[in-house]
Amino acid sequence: MEEGTSKSPSYCAVTHTAADGGDADPFQWDVREDCEVRQILDRIADKWSLLVIALLDRRKLRFSELRREIDGISQRMLTVTLRQLERDGLVKRTVHPEVPPRVEYELTPLGGTLHTTIRSLVTWTERHQNEIAAAREEYDARAAAETALPAAR
């Protein structure tokens, strides 16, 4: 369990969204570290979890296949990520009784519902990547100019 993670579910204020007729005001969200909703969001918004969930869409993969597909992930980090996703009920781990044992990972039905949301996020990112790149360049140029100003005086 991660440091600072509560071992028992804690009460959090109900977060309403526009979809359920509530106000989507983020200031209504309970942002306490021990809030169960925040802990779940921290887990599924993690870059490795997003990649694992995306790769497991409608297919089973072995650990080695996942590791090969995810550039930059260490064996330890993939192990931790898969365990956390399994604990949260998003990934199912199946051990086949063979020698050597064959272990496969797949999304649970709950994990499959999350994949739809991730796909929307990726689609948004693809649509806006050029705007974000331009904003980054503008910001970096402005920051460089502000840093150079005191030296020029």
Side-chain angles (χ1 to χ4, degrees), residues 37-54:
V37 171
R38 179 176 165 192
Q39 291 174 14
I40 294 167
L41 286 172
D42 286 347
R43 168 90 59 249
I44 61 176
D46 168 80
K47 70 177 179 177
W48 302 124
S49 296
L50 288 172
L51 292 171
V52 167
I53 292 166

Side-chain angles (χ1 to χ4, degrees), residues 34-82:
D34 65 343
C35 175
E36 192 74 22
V37 171
R38 179 176 165 192
Q39 291 174 14
I40 294 167
L41 286 172
D42 286 347
R43 168 90 59 249
I44 61 176
D46 168 80
K47 70 177 179 177
W48 302 124
S49 296
L50 288 172
L51 292 171
V52 167
I53 292 166
L55 285 169
L56 292 176
D57 182 37
R58 290 177 277 202
R59 63 181 175 161
K60 297 176 184 181
L61 291 174
R62 296 176 72 171
F63 184 92
S64 58
E65 293 170 319
L66 282 165
R67 183 142 184 241
R68 216 176 7 258
E69 292 283 332
I70 303 173
D71 191 35
I73 194 167
S74 68
Q75 180 172 335
R76 181 187 179 287
M77 185 51 65
L78 181 55
T79 299
V80 168
T81 300
L82 287 166

Side-chain angles (χ1 to χ4, degrees), residues 1 9 22 37 46 51 57 62 72 76 84 93 95 98 104 108 114 127 131 137 142 146 149 153:
M1 185 168 285
V37 171
D46 168 80
L51 292 171
D57 182 37
R62 296 176 72 171
R76 181 187 179 287
Q84 291 170 341
R93 178 180 183 260
V95 180
E98 303 171 358
E104 293 179 322
T108 63
L114 180 57
R127 281 191 192 134
E131 294 168 73
E137 286 179 21
R142 196 170 55 246
E146 289 172 3
L149 280 177
R153 290 182 186 179

